PDB file of all heavy atoms in Angstrom:
ATOM      1  N   GLY O   1       5.717  12.917   5.648  1.00 85.00           N
ATOM      2  CA  GLY O   1       4.782  13.676   6.419  1.00 85.00           C
ATOM      3  C   GLY O   1       4.428  12.903   7.674  1.00 85.00           C
ATOM      4  O   GLY O   1       5.319  12.520   8.414  1.00 85.00           O
ATOM      5  N   ASP O   2       3.197  12.641   8.025  1.00 85.00           N
ATOM      6  CA  ASP O   2       2.800  11.949   9.229  1.00 85.00           C
ATOM      7  C   ASP O   2       2.552  10.462   9.008  1.00 85.00           C
ATOM      8  O   ASP O   2       2.012   9.750   9.763  1.00 85.00           O
ATOM      9  CB  ASP O   2       1.459  12.655   9.871  1.00 85.00           C
ATOM     10  CG  ASP O   2       0.361  12.602   8.813  1.00 85.00           C
ATOM     11  OD1 ASP O   2       0.539  12.198   7.724  1.00 85.00           O
ATOM     12  OD2 ASP O   2      -0.819  12.990   9.385  1.00 85.00           O
ATOM     13  N   LYS O   3       2.909  10.121   7.788  1.00 92.00           N
ATOM     14  CA  LYS O   3       2.782   8.655   7.454  1.00 92.00           C
ATOM     15  C   LYS O   3       4.177   7.908   7.349  1.00 92.00           C
ATOM     16  O   LYS O   3       5.248   8.672   6.954  1.00 92.00           O
ATOM     17  CB  LYS O   3       2.053   8.460   6.061  1.00 92.00           C
ATOM     18  CG  LYS O   3       0.685   8.979   6.022  1.00 92.00           C
ATOM     19  CD  LYS O   3      -0.040   8.823   4.830  1.00 92.00           C
ATOM     20  CE  LYS O   3      -1.409   9.486   4.842  1.00 92.00           C
ATOM     21  NZ  LYS O   3      -2.154   9.359   3.414  1.00 92.00           N
ATOM     22  N   ASN O   4       4.213   6.710   7.526  1.00 93.00           N
ATOM     23  CA  ASN O   4       5.470   5.939   7.224  1.00 93.00           C
ATOM     24  C   ASN O   4       5.604   5.550   5.815  1.00 93.00           C
ATOM     25  O   ASN O   4       4.562   5.509   5.203  1.00 93.00           O
ATOM     26  CB  ASN O   4       5.712   4.896   8.318  1.00 93.00           C
ATOM     27  CG  ASN O   4       4.725   3.729   8.040  1.00 93.00           C
ATOM     28  OD1 ASN O   4       4.381   3.364   7.023  1.00 93.00           O
ATOM     29  ND2 ASN O   4       4.360   3.007   9.248  1.00 93.00           N
ATOM     30  N   PHE O   5       6.655   5.045   5.418  1.00 97.00           N
ATOM     31  CA  PHE O   5       6.910   4.602   4.123  1.00 97.00           C
ATOM     32  C   PHE O   5       5.940   3.558   3.570  1.00 97.00           C
ATOM     33  O   PHE O   5       5.541   3.554   2.520  1.00 97.00           O
ATOM     34  CB  PHE O   5       8.405   4.140   3.879  1.00 97.00           C
ATOM     35  CG  PHE O   5       8.814   3.913   2.485  1.00 97.00           C
ATOM     36  CD1 PHE O   5       9.006   4.988   1.582  1.00 97.00           C
ATOM     37  CD2 PHE O   5       8.901   2.592   1.981  1.00 97.00           C
ATOM     38  CE1 PHE O   5       9.391   4.743   0.283  1.00 97.00           C
ATOM     39  CE2 PHE O   5       9.246   2.372   0.665  1.00 97.00           C
ATOM     40  CZ  PHE O   5       9.555   3.310  -0.167  1.00 97.00           C
ATOM     41  N   GLY O   6       5.683   2.709   4.579  1.00 97.00           N
ATOM     42  CA  GLY O   6       4.664   1.434   4.230  1.00 97.00           C
ATOM     43  C   GLY O   6       3.398   1.940   3.905  1.00 97.00           C
ATOM     44  O   GLY O   6       2.664   1.427   2.980  1.00 97.00           O
ATOM     45  N   ASP O   7       2.960   3.014   4.599  1.00 97.00           N
ATOM     46  CA  ASP O   7       1.619   3.586   4.380  1.00 97.00           C
ATOM     47  C   ASP O   7       1.549   4.118   2.852  1.00 97.00           C
ATOM     48  O   ASP O   7       0.474   3.947   2.305  1.00 97.00           O
ATOM     49  CB  ASP O   7       1.228   4.672   5.324  1.00 97.00           C
ATOM     50  CG  ASP O   7       1.055   4.290   6.751  1.00 97.00           C
ATOM     51  OD1 ASP O   7       0.671   3.098   6.923  1.00 97.00           O
ATOM     52  OD2 ASP O   7       1.509   5.053   7.689  1.00 97.00           O
ATOM     53  N   ILE O   8       2.568   4.739   2.439  1.00 97.00           N
ATOM     54  CA  ILE O   8       2.632   5.367   1.097  1.00 97.00           C
ATOM     55  C   ILE O   8       2.492   4.212   0.123  1.00 97.00           C
ATOM     56  O   ILE O   8       1.988   4.300  -1.014  1.00 97.00           O
ATOM     57  CB  ILE O   8       3.759   6.253   0.853  1.00 97.00           C
ATOM     58  CG1 ILE O   8       3.654   7.400   2.022  1.00 97.00           C
ATOM     59  CG2 ILE O   8       3.604   6.957  -0.499  1.00 97.00           C
ATOM     60  CD1 ILE O   8       2.429   8.217   2.007  1.00 97.00           C
ATOM     61  N   VAL O   9       3.284   3.157   0.316  1.00 98.00           N
ATOM     62  CA  VAL O   9       3.385   1.944  -0.540  1.00 98.00           C
ATOM     63  C   VAL O   9       1.947   1.356  -0.654  1.00 98.00           C
ATOM     64  O   VAL O   9       1.563   1.023  -1.815  1.00 98.00           O
ATOM     65  CB  VAL O   9       4.512   0.975  -0.072  1.00 98.00           C
ATOM     66  CG1 VAL O   9       4.379  -0.269  -1.073  1.00 98.00           C
ATOM     67  CG2 VAL O   9       5.802   1.510  -0.093  1.00 98.00           C
ATOM     68  N   ASN O  10       1.218   1.290   0.415  1.00 97.00           N
ATOM     69  CA  ASN O  10      -0.136   0.790   0.307  1.00 97.00           C
ATOM     70  C   ASN O  10      -0.990   1.735  -0.566  1.00 97.00           C
ATOM     71  O   ASN O  10      -1.874   1.043  -1.308  1.00 97.00           O
ATOM     72  CB  ASN O  10      -0.723   0.801   1.748  1.00 97.00           C
ATOM     73  CG  ASN O  10      -0.130  -0.242   2.707  1.00 97.00           C
ATOM     74  OD1 ASN O  10       0.212  -1.329   2.222  1.00 97.00           O
ATOM     75  ND2 ASN O  10      -0.136  -0.006   3.922  1.00 97.00           N
ATOM     76  N   GLU O  11      -0.795   2.934  -0.512  1.00 97.00           N
ATOM     77  CA  GLU O  11      -1.579   3.797  -1.472  1.00 97.00           C
ATOM     78  C   GLU O  11      -1.299   3.639  -2.864  1.00 97.00           C
ATOM     79  O   GLU O  11      -2.107   3.732  -3.794  1.00 97.00           O
ATOM     80  CB  GLU O  11      -1.416   5.256  -1.076  1.00 97.00           C
ATOM     81  CG  GLU O  11      -1.997   5.590   0.426  1.00 97.00           C
ATOM     82  CD  GLU O  11      -1.544   7.029   0.926  1.00 97.00           C
ATOM     83  OE1 GLU O  11      -0.947   7.800   0.072  1.00 97.00           O
ATOM     84  OE2 GLU O  11      -1.913   7.270   1.998  1.00 97.00           O
ATOM     85  N   LYS O  12      -0.041   3.420  -3.170  1.00 97.00           N
ATOM     86  CA  LYS O  12       0.484   3.392  -4.563  1.00 97.00           C
ATOM     87  C   LYS O  12       0.177   1.925  -5.068  1.00 97.00           C
ATOM     88  O   LYS O  12      -0.248   2.019  -6.345  1.00 97.00           O
ATOM     89  CB  LYS O  12       1.959   3.480  -4.568  1.00 97.00           C
ATOM     90  CG  LYS O  12       2.489   4.775  -4.006  1.00 97.00           C
ATOM     91  CD  LYS O  12       2.177   5.937  -4.873  1.00 97.00           C
ATOM     92  CE  LYS O  12       2.902   7.318  -4.420  1.00 97.00           C
ATOM     93  NZ  LYS O  12       2.588   8.426  -5.309  1.00 97.00           N
ATOM     94  N   ILE O  13       0.206   0.824  -4.414  1.00 98.00           N
ATOM     95  CA  ILE O  13       0.145  -0.412  -4.949  1.00 98.00           C
ATOM     96  C   ILE O  13      -1.348  -0.692  -5.421  1.00 98.00           C
ATOM     97  O   ILE O  13      -1.473  -1.661  -6.337  1.00 98.00           O
ATOM     98  CB  ILE O  13       0.610  -1.516  -3.978  1.00 98.00           C
ATOM     99  CG1 ILE O  13       0.892  -2.742  -4.837  1.00 98.00           C
ATOM    100  CG2 ILE O  13      -0.393  -1.851  -2.906  1.00 98.00           C
ATOM    101  CD1 ILE O  13       1.661  -3.803  -4.035  1.00 98.00           C
ATOM    102  N   VAL O  14      -2.307  -0.124  -4.981  1.00 97.00           N
ATOM    103  CA  VAL O  14      -3.672  -0.198  -5.555  1.00 97.00           C
ATOM    104  C   VAL O  14      -3.838   0.058  -6.992  1.00 97.00           C
ATOM    105  O   VAL O  14      -4.778  -0.532  -7.528  1.00 97.00           O
ATOM    106  CB  VAL O  14      -4.690   0.549  -4.597  1.00 97.00           C
ATOM    107  CG1 VAL O  14      -4.684   0.087  -3.166  1.00 97.00           C
ATOM    108  CG2 VAL O  14      -4.405   1.989  -4.667  1.00 97.00           C
ATOM    109  N   ASN O  15      -2.958   0.830  -7.464  1.00 96.00           N
ATOM    110  CA  ASN O  15      -2.962   1.117  -8.890  1.00 96.00           C
ATOM    111  C   ASN O  15      -2.405  -0.021  -9.723  1.00 96.00           C
ATOM    112  O   ASN O  15      -2.573   0.041 -11.014  1.00 96.00           O
ATOM    113  CB  ASN O  15      -2.132   2.470  -9.113  1.00 96.00           C
ATOM    114  CG  ASN O  15      -2.693   3.562  -8.409  1.00 96.00           C
ATOM    115  OD1 ASN O  15      -3.817   3.936  -8.336  1.00 96.00           O
ATOM    116  ND2 ASN O  15      -1.636   4.495  -7.893  1.00 96.00           N
ATOM    117  N   TYR O  16      -1.945  -1.016  -9.155  1.00 96.00           N
ATOM    118  CA  TYR O  16      -1.475  -2.291  -9.932  1.00 96.00           C
ATOM    119  C   TYR O  16      -2.537  -3.335  -9.928  1.00 96.00           C
ATOM    120  O   TYR O  16      -2.201  -4.497 -10.456  1.00 96.00           O
ATOM    121  CB  TYR O  16      -0.251  -2.761  -9.357  1.00 96.00           C
ATOM    122  CG  TYR O  16       1.075  -1.940  -9.501  1.00 96.00           C
ATOM    123  CD1 TYR O  16       1.244  -0.759  -8.810  1.00 96.00           C
ATOM    124  CD2 TYR O  16       1.694  -2.034 -10.639  1.00 96.00           C
ATOM    125  CE1 TYR O  16       2.196   0.176  -9.102  1.00 96.00           C
ATOM    126  CE2 TYR O  16       2.889  -1.263 -10.849  1.00 96.00           C
ATOM    127  CZ  TYR O  16       3.148  -0.103 -10.048  1.00 96.00           C
ATOM    128  OH  TYR O  16       4.124   0.757 -10.360  1.00 96.00           O
ATOM    129  N   GLY O  17      -3.763  -3.034  -9.510  1.00 94.00           N
ATOM    130  CA  GLY O  17      -4.881  -4.012  -9.848  1.00 94.00           C
ATOM    131  C   GLY O  17      -5.610  -4.375  -8.699  1.00 94.00           C
ATOM    132  O   GLY O  17      -5.226  -4.098  -7.512  1.00 94.00           O
ATOM    133  N   LYS O  18      -6.725  -5.067  -8.807  1.00 93.00           N
ATOM    134  CA  LYS O  18      -7.619  -5.406  -7.734  1.00 93.00           C
ATOM    135  C   LYS O  18      -7.006  -6.444  -6.760  1.00 93.00           C
ATOM    136  O   LYS O  18      -7.460  -6.577  -5.578  1.00 93.00           O
ATOM    137  CB  LYS O  18      -8.980  -6.166  -8.344  1.00 93.00           C
ATOM    138  CG  LYS O  18      -8.630  -7.403  -9.069  1.00 93.00           C
ATOM    139  CD  LYS O  18      -9.965  -7.882  -9.641  1.00 93.00           C
ATOM    140  CE  LYS O  18      -9.748  -9.240 -10.444  1.00 93.00           C
ATOM    141  NZ  LYS O  18      -9.147 -10.317  -9.650  1.00 93.00           N
ATOM    142  N   ASP O  19      -5.972  -7.189  -7.155  1.00 93.00           N
ATOM    143  CA  ASP O  19      -5.155  -8.040  -6.202  1.00 93.00           C
ATOM    144  C   ASP O  19      -4.792  -7.298  -5.027  1.00 93.00           C
ATOM    145  O   ASP O  19      -4.486  -7.978  -3.931  1.00 93.00           O
ATOM    146  CB  ASP O  19      -4.050  -8.684  -6.912  1.00 93.00           C
ATOM    147  CG  ASP O  19      -4.401  -9.575  -8.135  1.00 93.00           C
ATOM    148  OD1 ASP O  19      -5.469 -10.195  -8.086  1.00 93.00           O
ATOM    149  OD2 ASP O  19      -3.812  -9.472  -9.195  1.00 93.00           O
ATOM    150  N   TRP O  20      -4.546  -6.072  -5.196  1.00 97.00           N
ATOM    151  CA  TRP O  20      -3.913  -5.289  -4.000  1.00 97.00           C
ATOM    152  C   TRP O  20      -4.931  -4.440  -3.155  1.00 97.00           C
ATOM    153  O   TRP O  20      -4.473  -3.591  -2.290  1.00 97.00           O
ATOM    154  CB  TRP O  20      -2.729  -4.367  -4.503  1.00 97.00           C
ATOM    155  CG  TRP O  20      -1.665  -5.203  -5.269  1.00 97.00           C
ATOM    156  CD1 TRP O  20      -1.393  -5.207  -6.517  1.00 97.00           C
ATOM    157  CD2 TRP O  20      -0.882  -6.259  -4.719  1.00 97.00           C
ATOM    158  NE1 TRP O  20      -0.550  -6.175  -7.039  1.00 97.00           N
ATOM    159  CE2 TRP O  20      -0.161  -6.868  -5.847  1.00 97.00           C
ATOM    160  CE3 TRP O  20      -0.588  -6.794  -3.462  1.00 97.00           C
ATOM    161  CZ2 TRP O  20       0.805  -7.794  -5.658  1.00 97.00           C
ATOM    162  CZ3 TRP O  20       0.354  -7.708  -3.211  1.00 97.00           C
ATOM    163  CH2 TRP O  20       1.040  -8.219  -4.363  1.00 97.00           C
ATOM    164  N   THR O  21      -6.119  -4.526  -3.341  1.00 94.00           N
ATOM    165  CA  THR O  21      -7.078  -3.935  -2.637  1.00 94.00           C
ATOM    166  C   THR O  21      -7.226  -4.519  -1.273  1.00 94.00           C
ATOM    167  O   THR O  21      -7.130  -5.663  -1.041  1.00 94.00           O
ATOM    168  CB  THR O  21      -8.500  -4.092  -3.343  1.00 94.00           C
ATOM    169  OG1 THR O  21      -8.422  -3.524  -4.681  1.00 94.00           O
ATOM    170  CG2 THR O  21      -9.475  -3.342  -2.514  1.00 94.00           C
ATOM    171  N   ASN O  22      -7.227  -3.570  -0.220  1.00 91.00           N
ATOM    172  CA  ASN O  22      -7.303  -3.894   1.114  1.00 91.00           C
ATOM    173  C   ASN O  22      -6.152  -4.808   1.624  1.00 91.00           C
ATOM    174  O   ASN O  22      -6.313  -5.675   2.567  1.00 91.00           O
ATOM    175  CB  ASN O  22      -8.615  -4.682   1.467  1.00 91.00           C
ATOM    176  CG  ASN O  22      -9.890  -3.790   1.112  1.00 91.00           C
ATOM    177  OD1 ASN O  22      -9.902  -2.655   1.326  1.00 91.00           O
ATOM    178  ND2 ASN O  22     -10.935  -4.333   0.535  1.00 91.00           N
ATOM    179  N   ILE O  23      -5.075  -4.517   1.144  1.00 95.00           N
ATOM    180  CA  ILE O  23      -3.759  -5.319   1.602  1.00 95.00           C
ATOM    181  C   ILE O  23      -2.981  -4.347   2.341  1.00 95.00           C
ATOM    182  O   ILE O  23      -2.636  -3.245   1.865  1.00 95.00           O
ATOM    183  CB  ILE O  23      -3.119  -6.107   0.362  1.00 95.00           C
ATOM    184  CG1 ILE O  23      -3.826  -7.327   0.057  1.00 95.00           C
ATOM    185  CG2 ILE O  23      -1.635  -6.400   0.898  1.00 95.00           C
ATOM    186  CD1 ILE O  23      -3.119  -8.076  -1.022  1.00 95.00           C
ATOM    187  N   ASN O  24      -2.491  -4.707   3.590  1.00 97.00           N
ATOM    188  CA  ASN O  24      -1.566  -3.873   4.329  1.00 97.00           C
ATOM    189  C   ASN O  24      -0.172  -4.518   4.266  1.00 97.00           C
ATOM    190  O   ASN O  24       0.095  -5.582   4.826  1.00 97.00           O
ATOM    191  CB  ASN O  24      -2.003  -3.830   5.799  1.00 97.00           C
ATOM    192  CG  ASN O  24      -1.336  -2.846   6.644  1.00 97.00           C
ATOM    193  OD1 ASN O  24      -0.301  -2.363   6.250  1.00 97.00           O
ATOM    194  ND2 ASN O  24      -1.961  -2.516   7.792  1.00 97.00           N
ATOM    195  N   LEU O  25       0.679  -3.767   3.665  1.00 97.00           N
ATOM    196  CA  LEU O  25       2.118  -4.209   3.488  1.00 97.00           C
ATOM    197  C   LEU O  25       2.986  -3.838   4.642  1.00 97.00           C
ATOM    198  O   LEU O  25       4.203  -3.918   4.561  1.00 97.00           O
ATOM    199  CB  LEU O  25       2.613  -3.618   2.087  1.00 97.00           C
ATOM    200  CG  LEU O  25       1.920  -4.207   0.955  1.00 97.00           C
ATOM    201  CD1 LEU O  25       2.361  -3.468  -0.312  1.00 97.00           C
ATOM    202  CD2 LEU O  25       2.155  -5.619   0.762  1.00 97.00           C
ATOM    203  N   ASN O  26       2.520  -3.159   5.702  1.00 97.00           N
ATOM    204  CA  ASN O  26       3.307  -2.730   6.718  1.00 97.00           C
ATOM    205  C   ASN O  26       3.934  -3.966   7.536  1.00 97.00           C
ATOM    206  O   ASN O  26       3.393  -5.072   7.387  1.00 97.00           O
ATOM    207  CB  ASN O  26       2.586  -1.882   7.770  1.00 97.00           C
ATOM    208  CG  ASN O  26       2.546  -0.454   7.307  1.00 97.00           C
ATOM    209  OD1 ASN O  26       3.444   0.249   7.014  1.00 97.00           O
ATOM    210  ND2 ASN O  26       1.233   0.013   7.057  1.00 97.00           N
ATOM    211  N   ASP O  27       5.061  -3.720   8.172  1.00 96.00           N
ATOM    212  CA  ASP O  27       5.713  -4.800   8.903  1.00 96.00           C
ATOM    213  C   ASP O  27       4.746  -5.370   9.871  1.00 96.00           C
ATOM    214  O   ASP O  27       3.872  -4.837  10.460  1.00 96.00           O
ATOM    215  CB  ASP O  27       6.934  -4.340   9.737  1.00 96.00           C
ATOM    216  CG  ASP O  27       8.148  -3.990   8.762  1.00 96.00           C
ATOM    217  OD1 ASP O  27       8.020  -4.237   7.653  1.00 96.00           O
ATOM    218  OD2 ASP O  27       9.079  -3.389   9.345  1.00 96.00           O
ATOM    219  N   GLY O  28       4.991  -6.753  10.193  1.00 95.00           N
ATOM    220  CA  GLY O  28       4.201  -7.415  11.067  1.00 95.00           C
ATOM    221  C   GLY O  28       2.787  -7.927  10.720  1.00 95.00           C
ATOM    222  O   GLY O  28       1.950  -8.376  11.580  1.00 95.00           O
TER     223      GLY O  28
END
């Protein structure tokens, strides 16, 4: 859609626990 692949990964990974809250996995 209007998001890149990394944005969607960011949305999915929060389901794997609190360790991934507020982490941005996008390049750079």
Side-chain angles (χ1 to χ4, degrees):
D2 60 353
K3 299 178 181 179
N4 68 33
F5 188 74
D7 294 331
I8 305 302
V9 177
N10 286 333
E11 294 173 4
K12 302 288 186 182
I13 200 167
V14 295
N15 297 321
Y16 286 83
K18 62 181 178 62
D19 298 319
W20 303 111
T21 303
N22 298 322
I23 283 183
N24 188 345
L25 295 170
N26 279 299
D27 287 352

